[in-house]
Amino acid sequence: MRPMRFDNLYSHDFARVAVGLPLCRVADPAFNAAQTIALLQQAAAEGAAVVAFPELGLSAYSCDDLFHQRALLDGCEAALAEVAAATQALPIVAIVGMPLRVEQRLFNCAVVLLRGRVLGVVPKTYLPNYGEFYEARQFCSGEEATVSTVTLLGQLVPFGSRQIFTADDLPLLRLHVEICEDVWTPIPPSSFAALAGATVLVNLSASNVVVGKATYRRQLVAQQSARCLAAYVYSSAGAGESTTDLAWDGQALVCENGELLVESERFQRRSQLVTADVDLERLGRERMRQTSFGDAVRLHASYVGAFRHVAFTLGLDRDQPLALRRRVERFPYVPADHSRRDERCQEVYSIQVQGLTQRLASSGIRKLVVGISGGLDSTHALLVAARAMDALGLPRTNIIGVTMPGFATGERTRAQALRLMAAVGCEAREIDIRPSCTQMLKDIGHPHRDEQPVYDVTFENVQAGERTNHLFRLANLTGGLVLGTGDLSELALGWCTYGVGDHMSHYNVNASVPKTLIQHLVRWVAETHQLGEGTDTQVLLDILDTEISPELIPGSLQSTEATVGAYALQDFNLFYTLRHGYATAKIAFLARHAWDEVYSLPEIKRVLRIFVQRFFKGSQFKRSCVPNAPKVGSGGSLSPRGDWRAPSDSEAAVWLADLDRVPEPRSGS
């Protein structure tokens, strides 16, 4: 395996794509070529692998009947030669638009260039001939072509709409090109290209502007990228096009699987270049995961099989650092935008409440039993329980909250548990588990029976087990249902006591909600007064400010994060492992990009190692038999009946080996 330059985005299957919007002059190919070359060189200098330019950019789109003038057509071919020459020493694919004569007919074409060569020519398939458009007056559809090759710049090259251009030194980069109207049709050519393997769909467009059209374009491009599980690179004409009857805004877009990555500034009287780093591996994995994509390939096999694959070598320099230009959220389970975050919190609560109310209604059970520790997870579970009772029209006193102090319970958490139950309005009970734990330790012959300070895992699990045992027996007595509190992060790390412990319940509303999202949910409840005006919400803020701890060992403040690593990092690791299946080196690369100002690379690597060891090797047996719980987010769950099925005796060797490829920072590598 070739040594990996860790800090180069191409080492992690990203590709930088660019859209150039050159200032143009109508019917002045030499000027347009010069503007195109300047942006091409800028894109290459910025490390882009692909740069796309507007439809008919070498001539300008708004030439109308001038397209049938030989001087203009000759000038465009001369301009193409200039652009091709400029690509000679550049490791970048350039896609330019021009009118091209083929067999005494004229086609609206995209020409794909690399290192002085023409890789192929793609004609426009759908010609708009309505409203302000009269393209059928000047051009023929690519479907009417009678040849599959053309001679251009002295080279015999492929010609046709069914071409995919594949980089053999970046195999996941597979380009397809369509032109403007093609994407506005019910079944765009790019849909079939995606089924044939294209991952980056490029559209050379002109597209004049009218009120509301920019929003529609944005939606159209985003949705096409989502349907095709692809990146979609869209260019359009801007300043310099004729305004005889139309106006032009120069809207460039790059979307990836439905997400807008970058957009140009519209209505600029200057050339522009925008770039975005697309995650090619993400696209490939989504296609592999969504079996319906493969079904579509099978159903359209005859059409898909007609695509030609044109191979090329970029020759990218991967020995130099190239930082990622892409927003990577620190909290992938939590929207960064405040308004979207509130909407997400509302929806998460609604999903959890719906799951719990259905379970109560179907079972005929009207009471809930919840262990309340004064910490984060049980707080959130109690809040969900309260809203479920409200939704069912039952009193909150049907919730029996139980705080169960043990050998190391702090006064702060005990007081918070009591305040929380009072704020919610549930029935509050307190059971001291120390006597029963002492008896258990004595019965099994633990050194603690002789008052020896042996605080091992048995000492801890006896307390966790006694709490759960009390909850189940109390549920038997009261006709209630034990509500689980453990979260997705703890399940991923195996941070729960198996069987008769916090691992078990009758129903768990938190099982697919990670710790970092629970923190935001509890804060949202406090800030938006979800418990009702006048309720003590300060207790929720106090709980959020409390160190996360199991409180099982006397005389010490046990920090959970000191043992398992920061939950902020572990949830990041979990998301990219569970949702995308990334290698550990790529996760470390993304984590450093997102968390560079907070966590050093050695710390990121240390915490990721803990995750790998615990997730892949040490704790699957716990996840193989978890209670029922509603799936909350697209980030996945760990239920063996849902998103995650894995052997309980797997090894972590391959993940650890990949993690060892992450260098210790010495010279910026």
Side-chain angles (χ1 to χ4, degrees):
M1 182 179 292
R2 183 177 183 270
M4 178 183 70
R5 177 80 196 201
F6 176 74
D7 53 4
N8 185 299
L9 64 92
Y10 287 102
S11 295
H12 304 282
D13 290 317
F14 287 95
R16 181 161 296 162
V17 298
V19 183
L21 302 178
L23 182 68
C24 77
R25 290 180 184 170
V26 178
D28 191 347
F31 176 85
N32 297 336
Q35 297 294 309
T36 298
I37 289 168
L39 291 177
L40 165 65
Q41 292 171 336
Q42 181 184 342
E46 294 187 22
V50 180
V51 59
F53 295 95
E55 177 184 13
L56 296 170
L58 293 184
S59 58
Y61 177 80
S62 50
C63 289
D64 290 328
D65 286 351
L66 299 182
F67 283 123
H68 282 182
Q69 294 290 313
R70 177 177 175 177
L72 178 60
L73 298 177
D74 288 347
C76 286
E77 291 192 19
L80 179 67
E82 292 296 318
V83 177
T87 68
Q88 185 69 50
L90 302 178
I92 185 171
V93 174
I95 308 168
V96 297
M98 65 177 289
L100 186 65
R101 293 162 289 190
V102 178
E103 298 292 310
Q104 294 84 53
R105 286 185 292 178
L106 191 63
F107 294 88
N108 178 344
C109 294
V111 182
V112 184
L113 303 168
L114 174 67
R115 295 190 180 274
R117 293 193 303 120
V118 178
L119 295 179
V121 179
V122 179
K124 187 172 184 176
T125 299
Y126 295 96
L127 304 179
N129 217 50
Y130 56 87
E132 61 266 44
F133 304 110
Y134 294 93
E135 285 190 35
R137 178 182 174 98
Q138 290 97 25
F139 298 104
C140 295
S141 166
E143 291 299 298
E144 299 175 23
T146 58
V147 297
S148 59
T149 58
V150 295
T151 299
L152 189 57
L153 302 186
Q155 306 165 45
L156 186 66
V157 300
F159 179 80
S161 61
R162 300 182 198 177
Q163 297 186 67
I164 295 176
F165 303 91
T166 302
D168 54 21
D169 53 346
L170 191 61
L172 293 179
L173 178 62
R174 300 180 178 185
L175 303 170
H176 174 264
V177 184
E178 61 188 4
I179 302 175
C180 199
E181 186 76 6
D182 291 346
V183 76
W184 296 70
T185 60
I187 307 178
S190 56
S191 296
F192 293 109
L195 296 179
T199 54
V200 177
L201 312 175
V202 179
N203 187 305
L204 306 195
S205 180
S207 192
N208 65 298
V209 64
V210 293
V211 172
K213 193 173 184 179
T215 299
Y216 188 83
R217 284 193 209 113
R218 196 178 298 119
Q219 294 171 340
L220 182 68
V221 170
Q223 282 303 307
Q224 183 64 358
S225 74
R227 282 192 299 269
C228 293
L229 299 176
Y232 202 97
V233 179
Y234 179 89
S235 66
S236 64
E241 289 284 356
S242 172
T243 56
T244 300
D245 290 301
L246 304 173
W248 314 85
D249 61 342
Q251 186 179 30
L253 304 160
V254 179
C255 293
E256 176 188 297
N257 196 19
E259 178 184 356
L260 177 65
L261 299 184
V262 70
E263 181 174 356
S264 63
E265 298 179 57
R266 298 167 59 218
F267 300 108
Q268 299 299 303
R269 288 207 52 79
R270 58 181 173 82
S271 294
Q272 285 190 76
L273 183 81
V274 297
T275 65
D277 296 344
V278 298
D279 190 343
L280 301 175
E281 182 183 6
R282 176 194 180 195
L283 301 172
R285 290 191 175 278
E286 283 299 292
R287 292 177 178 186
M288 182 172 62
R289 188 177 72 91
Q290 294 189 22
T291 55
S292 53
F293 187 90
D295 292 339
V297 174
R298 175 175 52 81
L299 289 172
H300 299 284
S302 60
Y303 196 98
V304 168
F307 275 83
R308 284 181 287 181
H309 293 261
V310 180
F312 63 90
T313 302
L314 277 168
L316 292 164
D317 181 5
R318 300 195 190 191
D319 294 326
Q320 298 298 320
L322 187 62
L324 192 64
R325 291 182 187 172
R326 179 186 174 104
R327 182 177 180 85
V328 177
E329 299 292 350
R330 289 179 172 178
F331 300 100
Y333 291 101
V334 183
D337 178 75
H338 188 75
S339 60
R340 287 186 59 229
R341 190 183 316 155
D342 289 351
E343 181 183 345
R344 177 70 58 84
C345 289
Q346 179 69 63
E347 189 167 24
V348 169
Y349 264 107
S350 297
I351 292 170
Q352 292 178 283
V353 170
Q354 196 275 336
L356 181 56
T357 55
Q358 173 62 23
R359 178 51 56 94
L360 290 171
S362 64
S363 65
I365 295 174
R366 298 168 60 88
K367 288 191 175 184
L368 291 171
V369 177
V370 192
I372 308 299
S373 67
L376 195 62
D377 291 344
S378 61
T379 294
H380 179 60
L382 181 59
L383 296 174
V384 172
R387 291 192 60 176
M389 289 299 171
D390 296 345
L392 290 169
L394 297 173
R396 291 184 182 179
T397 50
N398 278 24
I399 305 169
I400 302 173
V402 188
T403 185
M404 294 170 280
F407 296 117
T409 300
E411 184 52 40
R412 172 173 178 163
T413 52
R414 176 179 174 275
Q416 286 174 175
L418 295 172
R419 287 173 57 201
L420 176 66
M421 290 187 285
V424 168
C426 68
E427 179 183 337
R429 298 191 185 186
E430 182 172 4
I431 299 175
D432 186 347
I433 64 167
R434 287 173 292 184
S436 58
C437 288
T438 299
Q439 183 63 47
M440 171 71 77
L441 292 167
K442 179 180 178 181
D443 290 344
I444 64 175
H446 189 273
H448 185 266
R449 68 179 180 180
D450 300 322
E451 299 185 357
Q452 295 183 37
V454 177
Y455 305 129
D456 55 9
V457 67
T458 303
F459 181 84
E460 296 185 53
N461 285 348
V462 161
Q463 295 173 76
E466 280 300 295
R467 286 184 174 124
T468 303
N469 191 26
H470 277 76
L471 292 175
F472 272 96
R473 302 296 75 79
L474 182 59
N476 293 155
L477 182 65
T478 60
L481 179 150
V482 176
L483 190 64
T485 62
D487 64 41
L488 180 67
S489 309
E490 293 178 343
L491 274 177
L493 297 166
W495 193 251
C496 55
T497 300
Y498 182 75
V500 184
D502 53 332
H503 168 260
M504 192 49 59
S505 63
H506 288 127
Y507 195 74
N508 184 354
V509 291
N510 287 347
S512 68
V513 187
K515 187 79 73 178
T516 50
L517 181 53
I518 285 180
Q519 290 170 327
H520 283 83
L521 288 163
V522 172
R523 189 174 302 279
W524 174 75
V525 170
E527 292 176 349
T528 57
H529 302 283
Q530 294 292 311
L531 290 176
E533 295 293 337
T535 304
D536 176 17
T537 57
Q538 182 59 45
V539 64
L540 300 179
L541 301 178
D542 292 343
I543 289 168
L544 284 166
D545 290 337
T546 302
E547 175 78 28
I548 299 173
S549 170
E551 292 190 319
L552 295 171
I553 296 179
S556 69
L557 177 60
Q558 286 177 279
S559 169
T560 298
E561 291 181 300
T563 301
V564 300
Y567 276 116
L569 285 178
Q570 295 296 31
D571 282 357
F572 188 96
N573 298 335
L574 174 62
F575 179 84
Y576 286 104
T577 298
L578 181 60
R579 183 66 178 82
H580 295 302
Y582 287 163
T584 45
K586 182 168 184 173
I587 296 173
F589 174 76
L590 291 170
R592 186 173 74 162
H593 180 72
W595 287 100
D596 191 40
E597 297 177 0
V598 180
Y599 298 107
S600 66
L601 183 57
E603 177 63 9
I604 289 169
K605 192 173 175 181
R606 182 189 74 83
V607 173
L608 185 51
R609 188 176 298 277
I610 292 171
F611 176 83
V612 166
Q613 290 171 325
R614 296 186 72 99
F615 183 81
F616 289 106
K617 185 171 174 62
S619 57
Q620 178 58 36
F621 73 98
K622 297 181 181 180
R623 297 189 289 268
S624 293
C625 52
V626 293
N628 294 172
K631 178 179 176 179
V632 169
S634 61
S637 78
L638 290 171
S639 168
R641 300 169 296 275
D643 285 355
W644 187 252
R645 297 165 178 81
S648 296
D649 47 8
S650 68
E651 298 295 332
V654 292
W655 292 272
L656 292 171
D658 191 71
L659 184 59
D660 288 338
R661 300 172 66 207
V662 178
E664 296 297 333
R666 290 188 295 272
S667 57
S669 62

